[in-house]
């Protein structure tokens, strides 16, 4: 199918993840883009992406209109731009009849997120959110094991996402990332919205249960700044299990430490995004088991269909992006052809997951500003 992309001028990092996932999935051709409002940057990026000159745009509104009018126009658009732009862009492409693939957050405002939920329902278009970490095969393995009762009734959970970049003073020359500390652009929270939403989505996908209540404390643990770089959260899950979440970008020596530890009445599961091919399964009264990504040997079919290489040939986040774009392709293709997909085939994050991420950010800020009280989610 034909894909367009908004953002990624001079090959921005997030857009590169998308482009890599697109190519690995082998289900899409990137045929159009509005990489930048700067004509030179747009042309440079268009050449790097092997796009025809007449399908490299400097205005995403023009792109939406032009591609919707073309007989060979794009089937979907990937929005890879900063937070505050997502709502307006997503709405414009929905109105043009084009399926949407959007980075989180869906918006910085709850009202805008709810408006996108409503408009997606009215159009019936596919609206995917890019939470790629859930597309590691061993994350899908953990999800299916919990659903099949491998650890019994859920008793407690811990999830963390730990990085280091905010421990250092900001680089005054890094204009591309300066907006991340601007409340008008990033929204009410910084680290909690940036990586806390990934931790929430991962936890809820794997356990199959939602966080119902939370309490949050925000801190500045790195270089001085206006917005939080660290948050500690207490959680209550559906069914009553307690939990904890720690997110920080001010822990020296940490890079991309997204991890969960989930325990039930008979066992537990542990996973670390920095070593994504291994899942640790502990059982009461039995030796621990390390399940390794690959075919067979305990890997369940739901996870195995995401495996691209035999064991011993490393897979990484780029492959997870490929899996995400494969599921999005299946969803878009089915919608365009009017086909019903088998129940449970896909676990694609959608506009509702995006709105939940926005609600999560607002709930954490509400809790923190009220002195760390419990609030409903």
């Amino acid at each position: 199918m034909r894909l367009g992309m908004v953002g990624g001028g001079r090959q921005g990092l997030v857009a590169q993840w998308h482009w890599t996932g697109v190519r690995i999935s082998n289900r899409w051709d990137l045929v159009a883009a509005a990489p930048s409002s700067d004509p030179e940057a747009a042309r440079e990026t268009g050449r790097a992406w092997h796009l025809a000159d007449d399908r490299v745009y400097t205005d995403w509104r023009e792109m939406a209109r032009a591609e919707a009018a073309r007989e060979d126009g794009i089937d979907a658009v990937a929005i890879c731009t900063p937070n505050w732009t997502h709502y307006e862009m997503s709405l414009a492409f929905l109105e043009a009849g084009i399926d949407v693939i959007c980075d989180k957050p869906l918006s910085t405002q709850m009202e805008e997120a709810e408006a996108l939920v409503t408009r997606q329902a009215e159009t019936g278009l596919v609206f995917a959110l890019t939470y790629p970490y859930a597309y590691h095969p061993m994350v899908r393995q953990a999800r299916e094991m919990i659903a099949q009762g491998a650890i019994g009734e859920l008793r407690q959970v811990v999830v963390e996402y730990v990085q280091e970049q905010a421990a250092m003073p900001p680089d005054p020359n890094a204009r591309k990332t300066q907006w991340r500390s601007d409340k008008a652009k990033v929204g009410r929270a910084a680290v909690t919205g940036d990586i806390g939403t990934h931790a929430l989505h991962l936890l809820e996908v794997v356990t199959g249960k939602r966080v119902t209540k939370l309490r949050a404390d925000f801190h500045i643990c790195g270089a001085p700044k206006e917005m939080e770089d660290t948050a500690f959260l207490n959680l209550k899950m559906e069914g009553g299990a307690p939990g904890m979440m720690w997110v920080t970008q001010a822990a020296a020596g940490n890079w991309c430490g997204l991890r969960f530890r989930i325990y039930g009445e008979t066992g537990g599961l542990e996973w670390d995004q920095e070593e994504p091919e291994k899942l640790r399964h502990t059982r009461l009264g039995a030796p621990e088991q390390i399940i390794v990504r690959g075919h067979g040997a305990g890997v369940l079919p739901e996870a195995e269909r995401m495996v691209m290489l035999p064991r011993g040939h490393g897979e990484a986040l780029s492959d997870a992006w490929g899996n995400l774009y494969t599921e999005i392709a299946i969803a878009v293709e089915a919608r365009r052809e009017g086909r019903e997909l088998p129940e449970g085939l896909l676990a694609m994050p959608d506009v509702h997951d995006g709105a939940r991420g926005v609600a999560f950010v607002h709930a954490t800020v509400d809790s923190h500003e009220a002195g760390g009280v419990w609030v409903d989610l």
Side-chain angles (χ1 to χ4, degrees), residues 119-140:
R119 194 68 187 113
Q120 183 277 328
E122 292 168 348
T123 63
L125 294 167
V126 171
F127 197 124
L129 263 288
T130 52
Y131 284 114
Y133 300 111
Y135 281 84
H136 285 287
M138 289 297 95
V139 170
R140 190 63 60 91

Side-chain angles (χ1 to χ4, degrees), residues 86-96 100 115-116 119 127:
H86 293 174
Y87 167 72
E88 190 176 9
M89 291 178 178
S90 296
L91 186 61
F93 281 94
L94 286 177
E95 299 292 355
V100 173
L116 287 174
R119 194 68 187 113
F127 197 124

Side-chain angles (χ1 to χ4, degrees), residues 35-316:
S36 174
S37 58
D38 178 334
E40 182 182 349
R43 284 193 298 270
E44 180 183 315
T45 304
R47 286 194 297 269
W49 288 345
H50 313 296
L51 302 180
D53 290 343
D54 67 339
R55 299 186 80 172
V56 177
Y57 303 87
T58 55
D59 185 333
W60 55 268
R61 295 176 184 85
E62 179 191 353
M63 175 180 166
R65 289 191 298 267
E67 291 297 322
R70 292 180 67 118
E71 187 175 340
D72 63 346
I74 58 175
D75 297 311
V77 64
I79 296 172
C80 320
T81 55
N83 298 14
W84 74 95
T85 65
H86 293 174
Y87 167 72
E88 190 176 9
M89 291 178 178
S90 296
L91 186 61
F93 281 94
L94 286 177
E95 299 292 355
I98 296 169
D99 294 304
V100 173
I101 304 162
C102 185
D103 274 333
K104 61 87 199 161
L106 190 58
S107 171
T108 59
Q109 305 297 322
M110 200 64 229
E111 296 79 7
E112 292 179 350
E114 291 168 348
L116 287 174
V117 170
T118 299
R119 194 68 187 113
Q120 183 277 328
E122 292 168 348
T123 63
L125 294 167
V126 171
F127 197 124
L129 263 288
T130 52
Y131 284 114
Y133 300 111
Y135 281 84
H136 285 287
M138 289 297 95
V139 170
R140 190 63 60 91
Q141 172 81 12
R143 176 178 181 262
E144 294 303 321
M145 288 177 67
I146 290 174
Q148 294 178 21
I151 65 171
E153 181 182 344
L154 189 67
R155 292 293 173 83
Q156 58 178 311
V157 299
V158 179
V159 64
E160 63 185 50
Y161 199 161
V162 188
Q163 299 177 328
E164 73 167 3
Q165 58 265 35
M168 300 165 281
D171 181 356
N173 298 316
R175 292 189 301 164
K176 284 188 176 182
T177 58
Q178 285 177 357
W179 63 266
R180 292 183 180 275
S181 59
D182 184 344
K183 277 192 176 183
K185 294 180 177 180
V186 79
R188 296 177 69 195
V191 67
T192 312
D194 189 15
I195 60 177
T197 48
H198 281 295
L200 176 78
H201 179 259
L202 185 70
L203 178 64
E204 293 189 337
V205 163
V206 172
T207 62
K209 295 184 181 296
R210 286 194 160 197
V211 175
T212 60
K213 292 179 179 292
L214 61 82
R215 63 169 304 279
D217 290 315
F218 288 0
H219 301 274
I220 298 171
C221 297
K225 57 184 70 68
E226 291 187 10
M227 300 182 73
E228 95 285 358
D229 59 28
T230 301
F232 295 90
L233 282 70
N234 294 116
L235 311 173
K236 290 184 180 178
M237 308 293 293
E238 285 179 323
M244 295 186 296
M245 180 188 295
W246 171 41
V247 291
T248 183
Q249 291 176 326
N254 287 271
W255 303 293
C256 200
L258 176 58
R259 308 176 183 99
F260 64 69
R261 296 188 291 279
I262 298 169
Y263 303 102
E265 59 184 335
T266 61
L269 291 168
E270 301 176 12
W271 180 80
D272 183 343
Q273 199 274 152
E274 292 187 351
E275 297 184 7
E277 299 193 292
K278 296 179 181 179
L279 178 67
R280 182 172 182 252
H281 181 203
T282 55
R283 295 165 292 167
L284 288 175
E288 72 172 0
Q289 181 182 25
I290 305 297
I291 304 170
V292 179
R293 190 271 314 152
H295 295 286
V299 176
L300 298 172
E302 293 83 357
E304 193 169 7
R305 69 169 177 251
M306 292 188 167
V307 171
M308 298 187 184
L309 298 171
R311 288 183 181 87
H313 301 276
E315 290 186 8

Side-chain angles (χ1 to χ4, degrees), residues 359-371:
F360 166 75
V361 172
H362 284 270
T364 61
V365 178
D366 290 344
S367 172
H368 170 70
E369 289 182 348

